[in-house]
Amino acid sequence: MTTVSTINLAAGKLVLTSDVVGTDFGLPLVRPTRTRQGSQVRVVRSRCRAHGGVVVWFTDGTKTPPLHGRTSWILAEAEPGAPAPSRVVA
């Protein structure tokens, strides 16, 4: 299981997140998970500094609440032979 901190999280990485835990101005909020069970694989679109921490945006339109930069994410390995995840052009 490979992990990476929010500060080192790059666009295009596959990470494991929770299901939607709330909304922020109509945008669904997700959080990093600690286990693979019950988690969703999402593709990182970008991350940006915000008041109170770092917000991570995903290609499916979800985002995180402001997180501490040392929050760790579990990277999801792409399965052999699986198609590449689609990217949403914003």
Side-chain angles (χ1 to χ4, degrees):
M1 175 170 22
T2 306
T3 61
V4 65
S5 68
T6 302
I7 293 172
N8 297 322
L9 198 58
K13 291 285 187 185
L14 298 171
V15 295
L16 299 177
T17 67
S18 66
D19 286 330
V20 175
V21 295
T23 59
D24 182 25
F25 295 103
L27 296 172
L29 294 175
V30 296
R31 294 188 179 275
T33 62
R34 295 182 186 188
T35 64
R36 294 184 185 275
Q37 186 176 15
S39 61
Q40 302 288 321
V41 176
R42 298 189 200 281
V43 180
V44 175
R45 183 176 79 188
S46 64
R47 64 177 169 78
C48 63
R49 292 192 48 82
H51 182 71
V54 177
V55 175
V56 179
W57 293 81
F58 299 100
T59 58
D60 64 353
T62 58
K63 68 175 197 166
T64 65
L67 301 169
H68 192 279
R70 286 182 276 174
T71 301
S72 65
W73 295 82
I74 298 173
L75 295 180
E77 292 84 19
E79 296 178 10
S86 61
R87 296 183 184 238
V88 175
V89 177

